[in-house]
Each structure stands twice: as structure tokens, then as C-alpha cells.
């Protein structure tokens, strides 16, 4: 049964070395096939975790900023995000370096989502070949979460498998 939870060869790139620290640039690039301290899962493994309630899905896809130089009166809307049902969407928390306010947002949102239980499973994802989910999962480990799962195929792999996505809004920052 454990094999179900492990990503198959080729889901990530074994030729990409796992860095010692966080990835600080080039976030849309091949990712390693490992994250020390976490369990790497494929789509079937991610689905099994979620079907059994063993993990809370956490989407870290960034939200684009409003474009500069828009003419006065131009209406700009954020692009919609469809993610894995039941996800916490914590945009912009997968960058390699976070401001103190963004780091606090990440910590507090995880604490609320898990009820403060560091043994609650967390499944981090973004898109395929996206280092943001790797960084966020590594950051959760550093915060003391003990059941961290990383799903490197993200919503690309999820939707390619025909699994449902749902429209989502980010978790609001704390007041």
C-alpha cells in the first residue's frame, strides 16, 4: 500500500538535485524527485490521502499583481483559480524568501487549517514543474509539521487524471 503514496519514476526529475535551502528563482523549472522529511506522492497517492481525510490540500500558486500602467478607469480582475477540492489556497507563500508578514500569513493559515495539530497531514501542490510547492512543503517541515506530503504534479496532474477541480479564493490574511 505504501507504493501508492510514492511518486513514480519520472514524475519529478531525479537529475535535479535537492538544494539545501529554498529555491530563490526560476520557479517554473524541473523539480527534484525528493524533499527530505516529506513524502512525495503521485496523483493516485494524493487522491488516496484526500479521499481518506489523511491530509489537507494546500495550494500555493501565486496570485499575479495588478499590472502597472493601466489607464484610469480600467477594470482589472484577478484570473480565477481552480484547485483541488477542499484546498487552502495560500498564494505567494511558495517563494524562496518571504516577508515577515507573508511568513506570518503562512504560519497562521496552517495553524488554523490544522487546528494547531502538527501531526495533521498537509499536501502541498501548485502546478507541475513548480518549485513553489517544494518551497512551501519545506517551510512547513521547518515549522514543525510532521506529516508533510508534496505533490509535484499539482493541478496539472490532477486535471490530466480527470479528477475534479473547483473554483477557489485565497485564504484571507489575518486582520
Amino acid at each position: 500500500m505504501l507504493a501508492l503514496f510514492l511518486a513514480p519514476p519520472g514524475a519529478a526529475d531525479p537529475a535535479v538535485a535537492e538544494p539545501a535551502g529554498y529555491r530563490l528563482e526560476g520557479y517554473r523549472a524541473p523539480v527534484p524527485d525528493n524533499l527530505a522529511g516529506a513524502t512525495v506522492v503521485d496523483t493516485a497517492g494524493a487522491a488516496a490521502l484526500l479521499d481518506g481525510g489523511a491530509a489537507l490540500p494546500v495550494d500555493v500558486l501565486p496570485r499575479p499583481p495588478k499590472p502597472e500602467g493601466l489607464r484610469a478607469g480600467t477594470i482589472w480582475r484577478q484570473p480565477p483559480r481552480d484547485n483541488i477540492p477542499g484546498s487552502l489556497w495560500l498564494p505567494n507563500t511558495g517563494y524562496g524568501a518571504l516577508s515577515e508578514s507573508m511568513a506570518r500569513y503562512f504560519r497562521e493559515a496552517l495553524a488554523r487549517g490544522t487546528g494547531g495539530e502538527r501531526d495533521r497531514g498537509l499536501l502541498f501542490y501548485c502546478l507541475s514543474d513548480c518549485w513553489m510547492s517544494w518551497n512551501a512543503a519545506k517551510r512547513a517541515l521547518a515549522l514543525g509539521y510532521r506529516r508533510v506530503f508534496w505533490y509535484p504534479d499539482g493541478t496539472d496532474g490532477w486535471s490530466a487524471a480527470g479528477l475534479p477541480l473547483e473554483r477557489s479564493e485565497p485564504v484571507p490574511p489575518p486582520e
Side-chain angles (χ1 to χ4, degrees):
M1 184 74 172
L2 180 61
L4 176 66
F5 294 104
L6 302 177
D13 191 341
V16 176
E18 180 179 357
Y22 297 103
R23 175 78 172 226
L24 299 173
E25 60 186 15
Y27 297 107
R28 286 306 305 271
V31 294
D33 63 353
N34 188 42
L35 172 54
T39 302
V40 181
V41 297
D42 62 7
T43 301
L49 284 167
L50 300 179
D51 286 346
L56 174 67
V58 181
D59 183 2
V60 297
L61 182 77
R63 207 158 197 207
K66 183 177 180 179
E68 292 183 27
L70 290 178
R71 290 185 345 189
T74 301
I75 297 174
W76 183 76
R77 291 187 173 95
Q78 286 282 350
R81 172 66 171 152
D82 293 335
N83 61 24
I84 296 171
S87 292
L88 293 179
W89 181 18
L90 306 179
N92 306 325
T93 59
Y95 289 107
L98 298 181
S99 67
E100 179 49 41
S101 64
M102 189 57 65
R104 183 176 54 254
Y105 167 69
F106 184 73
R107 279 192 314 270
E108 291 177 3
L110 290 184
R112 284 191 310 269
T114 63
E117 295 178 31
R118 299 289 170 115
D119 286 323
R120 174 79 165 97
L122 294 169
L123 175 71
F124 289 91
Y125 71 94
C126 183
L127 303 171
S128 64
D129 288 332
C130 180
W131 281 84
M132 297 237 175
S133 57
W134 189 93
N135 280 343
K138 183 176 184 72
R139 189 167 282 118
L141 289 165
L143 290 172
Y145 288 92
R146 292 177 281 277
R147 294 189 60 240
V148 173
F149 300 90
W150 176 44
Y151 177 38
D153 291 334
T155 51
D156 294 330
W158 192 264
S159 64
L163 296 169
L165 296 172
E166 68 182 10
R167 186 67 34 102
S168 181
E169 290 295 324
V171 171
E175 306 268 330

